Amino acid sequence: MCEPLTLCHILGFKFKFNQEPNEETPTSLYHIAAALLHHKLIELEDLYVHLMPLDASIVEEHKREITEAKQIARKLTMVVVPSEKMEDKEREKEKEEEKNDKPPDNQKLGLLEALLRIGDWHHAQSIMDQMPAFYATSHKAIALALCQLLHLTVEPLYRRSGVPKGAKGCVMRPLRNKRAPRPAESFEDLRRDVFSMLCYLGPHLSHDPILFAKIVRLGKGFMKEVQAPPSDTLLSCFLSIADQVLLPSLSLMECNACMSEELWGLFKLFPYQHRYRLYGQWKNETYTSHPLLVKVKAQTVDRAKYIMKRLTKENVKPSGRQIGKLSHSNPTILFDYILSQIQWYDNLIGPVVDSLKYLTSLNYDVMAYCIIEALANPEKEKMKHDDTTISSWLQSLASLCGAVFRKYPIELAGLLQYVTNTLKAGKSFDLLILKEVVQKMAGIEITDEMTSEQMEAMTGGEQLKAEGGYFGQIRNTKKSSQRLKDALLDHELALPLCLLMAQQRNGVVFLEGGEKHLKLVGKLYDQCHDTLVQFGGFLASNLSTEDYIKRVPSIDILCNQFHTPHDAAFFLSRPMYGHQILSKYDELKKAEKSNRQQQKVHKYVAACELVMSPVHEAVVSLHPPRVWDDLRPQFYATFWSLTMYDLAVPHNAYDREVKKLQVQVKTIEENPDVPMNKKKKEKERCTALQDKLQEEEKKQLEHVQRVLHRLKLEKDNWLLAKSTKNETITKFLQLCLFPRCIFSAIDAVYCARFVELVHQQKAPNFCTLLCYDRVFSDIIYTVASCTENESRRYGRFLCCMLETVTRWHSDRAVYEKECGNYPGFLTIFRATGFDGGNKADQLDYENFRHVVHKWHYKLTKASVHCLETGEYTHIRNILIVLTKILPCYPKVLNLGQALECRVHKICLEEKEKRPDLYALAMGYSGQLKGRKVHMVPENEFHHKEQPVRSATTASQLNGPGTTAKPATNASKTEEGACEDADRSKDKSQGAAKPVNKANSTVAKVTTSNGNGAPNSTKAIKERDDKEKSGKEKKEKKEKTPGSTPETKGESRREKQRDERGAAGKEERAPREGKEKTPKADRDKQKAEEKSNKEDNKAKAGNGEPKELSRERDTGAKESKTKEKGGDQSKEKGGDRSAVSGSLKSPVPRSESAESERGTQPDCQHWLCTYTVSADCQWVIPATSLNHPGPQRAREESQSLSFAPAKSTEENKACLPPQKVRESARGREKVWAKPSGSAGALPKPLEACDRS
């Protein structure tokens, strides 16, 4: 045997001889060299130097191939003439075929193939290491040789763990070579040689689809066999093979759907995190690693462009087939291009969704990944350039998500987790995706633009909601909603998503919205809130009772630990309470079987107590202890736990839907074109739906009866009112009514109906009148703080409240029946807490009409104020609210004219500046004109009398030494001063504090002494000087043209400050006058009072209510007092003008109302005349000039106990009007305030202070 080196030289000479240009190296020479190497007779290093070409040449050739491939790709993306493009394609195809057919003139590759054929993997691996990656296997012969070796190596393991049931397969004979790689008997053996062979093979496994299938099946076998968490090393090995071999090989296979499905069988066993990582590598890195893949990518994009250009609604089927074929091999490239087109052209969404029906399961999963990647693209802005709206590309992708995930079985976990992660990062843009997915998959729509019929349907059961509650009749959502539910439960995302959305609502404003435009912040807040409502509704209707209760914690944990806002926390807990009460009720029924209705109701009440008792204890921790002095936790929990489904049955909605189905059946029967079998199916479906709706209606009726009985038993313990009824209403509004009325459209209706229900139940300590007054009296702050959607809900709430008030206002019989003897309409609140009482304490019908007019005036005043601010949100929100309440407001002609004028001005101002406001104003203006025929003059809306004043009265009113003027002019001046003061208060918005002390001091004098004119000469001089200067100022102001509202407001404020400063001086003069009053005058006074008393008795004897006659006498007495003390009343300036202005049911200043300014209504009732300025400050009740009204709600809440009385004058300043009247008639009594909060004095109506 010769030496190894000699053998090498001989072989080298042979190889050298065959390197001539026209020579080919014989195959036998490669086999001899391979055999010698395999048996270690020669060394590879010695032989390798004789082989051609050089390694440097191989590297250069590889680089050249990559460059050529990139050039081809560039050409494909360029815009060229189609004929030239076709020629280039054909030329490239010919080159590829030549390369594959002609064996390479490369001795190193020839030797490598021979080594692989005999199974010498060790030496073959050494040669491949000297070459660029995948260069050797890019030649088909070498790739097939390596595949053959892999077949033999994995055969035993494949037979044991990989062969599917029923498959036989071709038996492979093992190599007789002992030095060949050992066959793998276990999965651990794969790590020895198989994985490294596959890595060298790379994308060229595509040459052998059978081996591809075997490797995939081995992977499936490994994942199934190792049930416990698999070995990290082996799992990472399989993931690497999938990344480097399987997916690239799939790209090089031509539309092999079977391989795609086979690969999905393995991939679906991986978590979606692993799968998405593989898809990311496949899409972004794999296509740059090999020249062939570069070309394939370019060709795929070119083909995708061709298909998408021709895709229309009409050719969905053929285009879908082409998309399917292309997607089997290169789904990432195809979907990336399709999504880019959809982001530009949203009208492609429908055709694209329909054309995806030919995709494989793997392709659908890749589609989900591509959508998430497109959504998370950091280079794309999610806002438009104006920074006020969400980008259209994001909206298009969200619509595509909803449609694709509903129609095709795509796993949702990745998308849901993406939305959760973005919420956790404090970003809420992507909630749009969740909103679309829930809407399309579950058929749950969220919109505030519901019709009244839809709103009525939404108060019924689930079946009625589905049939009549939504705009789009989304059918067949059972499977898709089940898939969504499973994805949420399997990945534990249901509760986290709810909590994150609830927290993010405030995050949008305080964290996310720092530099964003206010309009965008409002939209994001609405989107976050609407998605929460929609998602919570989906969970409530689709999760089973056990699943829901298991996942949603108790209310105190939600609020205190997870910091969920109270309204959202109760929204999530509400279905849980309903489920628990019904299940407990069923248990009690089964335990003791009884068919009597009364027994069933008692069991229901017992079930409610068992379920809600822990809730009553839990809610105590949500608010400070002082809250529970007025509201019981039971009342608070009852309000938040009930829904419209519990309060009323929408019989009309049920009847309407049943009739629709009956008409549908009739139409089907009369249609001759419909086949008989289809007719039968449709009729059966409609009949089944009718039965379901009727059964649901019956079930809801029984439920509502049980709930109302429960409320009737509970009502006596709802409100404690340890402080005052005013405080109770404040807390009810602040903690219950306002947060819930803007939560959703159905909650807005619920809040209005709940107030009416509490009134009907005659709940003790609940003043209905006060509640309505606080809701209507000042809506400016509420409207200004709402978002766009919240203002719609708030408008709906006000509309429902106004509907009730309008019904009472329109008919005396209805008012007497529903309000006449109800404690909610008491006007005198007794310290004992006894709400029953004499008829005189109830607000009569005419006075109620005055009150309603006052509310309409307040709404007009607030609306005009918002429209005049110039602020975008104020104007937008008030226009939305006004549009919502249009059926019930305005009803009075002059108020409607005032609104119409101001809205017309908005239309002119905003036409060019803010088109969206212009559109809103124009829409409202048109509707308002249409409602004009339903408006009535003020004297028809509420009864008005115009008392005639004599000339002597006018002269007395003007005082001595002045020229008499008509009384109407004087009252006009007073009215105008009042309105001016109101307007200046509106503009200052809370800058000025109430001057109750000054008011009470000035008012004391007139009522305590009938002759109010002071005797002091000094006081008279001061009065005359002040009157003259005031007239001069007024004339100067009237003559000054073009004065701005701001300057007017300033002058008014200065005037008020001067008058307040002078109050002390003016106070002393009347007191001196009182002390110097001669005895004869006092006797005369007593005689007058005695005659008044006799007149009162006579009126009472004639059947006139004692209380009403007293009021009229008081009115007459006070008018006399005013006439006698005319100069003094003028001296009091702004304070008296405010009082005088409050006597008349106020209207906005308009030319049509100028003639009515001097008139006063006959109503002297303190509830009717009590008004509140726009900054929540108090104006004195007209009939009680001594009564300064309560302080602000905040001041009251700080101290609820009263100090002991000091003097008669000070006591009278704090009495209710009835007591003041008695004091004014000269009764010498000291009315002390009761000590302690339980017997607190009543407080007149005040404006709502949400803070």
Side-chain angles (χ1 to χ4, degrees), residues 309-364:
K309 279 177 189 173
R310 290 154 181 78
L311 178 63
T312 62
K313 209 171 184 180
E314 286 72 32
N315 66 357
V316 160
K317 210 165 188 177
S319 297
R321 289 194 177 114
Q322 290 176 320
I323 287 173
K325 284 180 183 178
L326 202 55
S327 70
H328 297 331
S329 303
N330 298 282
T332 55
I333 306 302
L334 173 66
F335 295 145
D336 192 45
Y337 180 75
I338 289 176
L339 292 175
S340 69
Q341 292 298 296
I342 283 173
Q343 289 172 52
W344 284 104
Y345 312 109
D346 58 354
N347 58 343
L348 276 173
I349 292 173
V352 164
V353 171
D354 292 338
S355 67
L356 296 177
K357 64 172 80 170
Y358 300 104
L359 268 57
T360 61
S361 303
L362 177 66
N363 296 344
Y364 286 130

Side-chain angles (χ1 to χ4, degrees), residues 147-148 150-152 154-159 161-164 169-172 187 190 198 205 208-221 238 246 259 262:
C147 288
Q148 186 64 26
L150 275 164
H151 272 296
L152 296 169
V154 301
E155 181 66 15
L157 183 60
Y158 175 70
R159 288 290 157 199
S161 303
V163 179
C170 181
V171 178
M172 305 287 293
F187 289 109
L190 294 176
L198 286 169
L205 181 60
D208 193 345
I210 295 174
L211 180 61
F212 184 98
K214 282 186 178 180
I215 300 299
V216 171
R217 287 172 182 176
L218 283 172
K220 284 195 281 188
F238 272 106
L246 298 178
M259 288 301 105
E262 194 73 51

Side-chain angles (χ1 to χ4, degrees), residues 224-466:
K224 288 175 182 175
E225 195 171 293
V226 188
Q227 292 295 334
S231 161
D232 289 341
T233 313
L234 272 175
L235 180 61
S236 60
C237 287
F238 272 106
L239 290 171
S240 298
I241 294 302
D243 177 28
Q244 296 172 31
V245 182
L246 298 178
L247 290 174
S249 299
L250 189 65
S251 295
L252 294 178
M253 289 181 185
E254 286 192 8
C255 63
N256 196 330
C258 298
M259 288 301 105
S260 180
E261 285 294 347
E262 194 73 51
L263 189 58
W264 174 245
L266 169 62
F267 276 21
K268 70 181 179 184
L269 303 173
F270 295 145
Y272 74 87
Q273 294 92 335
H274 292 338
R275 296 201 309 270
Y276 287 1
R277 186 176 178 185
L278 291 171
Y279 302 150
Q281 294 279 104
W282 189 15
K283 178 176 178 290
N284 301 314
E285 294 180 19
T286 301
Y287 286 97
T288 59
S289 65
H290 195 279
L292 271 177
L293 290 169
V294 172
K295 290 178 192 174
V296 164
K297 180 179 179 180
Q299 289 163 2
T300 306
V301 171
D302 186 53
R303 185 64 183 162
K305 286 180 182 176
Y306 175 86
I307 297 167
M308 291 301 291
K309 279 177 189 173
R310 290 154 181 78
L311 178 63
T312 62
K313 209 171 184 180
E314 286 72 32
N315 66 357
V316 160
K317 210 165 188 177
S319 297
R321 289 194 177 114
Q322 290 176 320
I323 287 173
K325 284 180 183 178
L326 202 55
S327 70
H328 297 331
S329 303
N330 298 282
T332 55
I333 306 302
L334 173 66
F335 295 145
D336 192 45
Y337 180 75
I338 289 176
L339 292 175
S340 69
Q341 292 298 296
I342 283 173
Q343 289 172 52
W344 284 104
Y345 312 109
D346 58 354
N347 58 343
L348 276 173
I349 292 173
V352 164
V353 171
D354 292 338
S355 67
L356 296 177
K357 64 172 80 170
Y358 300 104
L359 268 57
T360 61
S361 303
L362 177 66
N363 296 344
Y364 286 130
D365 201 47
V366 173
M367 180 81 177
Y369 164 76
C370 289
I371 288 172
I372 294 169
E373 191 185 52
L375 290 168
N377 187 354
E379 295 174 4
K380 302 208 78 165
E381 285 292 331
K382 295 192 175 180
M383 289 181 293
K384 287 185 178 175
H385 295 301
D386 58 1
D387 285 345
T388 59
T389 44
I390 295 172
S391 294
S392 53
W393 70 265
L394 183 59
Q395 294 176 20
S396 299
L397 282 180
S399 299
L400 178 75
C401 280
V404 165
F405 281 92
R406 176 180 181 266
K407 190 163 187 178
Y408 302 109
I410 307 175
E411 189 174 339
L412 284 149
L415 188 73
L416 294 172
Q417 188 65 56
Y418 168 74
V419 175
T420 308
N421 292 347
T422 54
L423 276 174
K424 204 171 179 183
K427 295 172 186 173
S428 58
F429 287 103
D430 295 297
L431 277 174
L432 185 62
I433 302 147
L434 184 64
K435 187 178 179 183
E436 286 288 335
V437 167
V438 175
Q439 181 175 329
K440 295 285 194 319
M441 295 189 73
I444 296 175
E445 249 181 325
I446 289 294
T447 175
D448 289 304
E449 299 296 340
M450 286 184 179
T451 63
S452 56
E453 291 181 352
Q454 285 174 323
M455 186 57 66
E456 193 178 12
M458 291 300 285
T459 63
E462 291 299 324
Q463 196 66 48
L464 184 62
K465 285 181 191 176

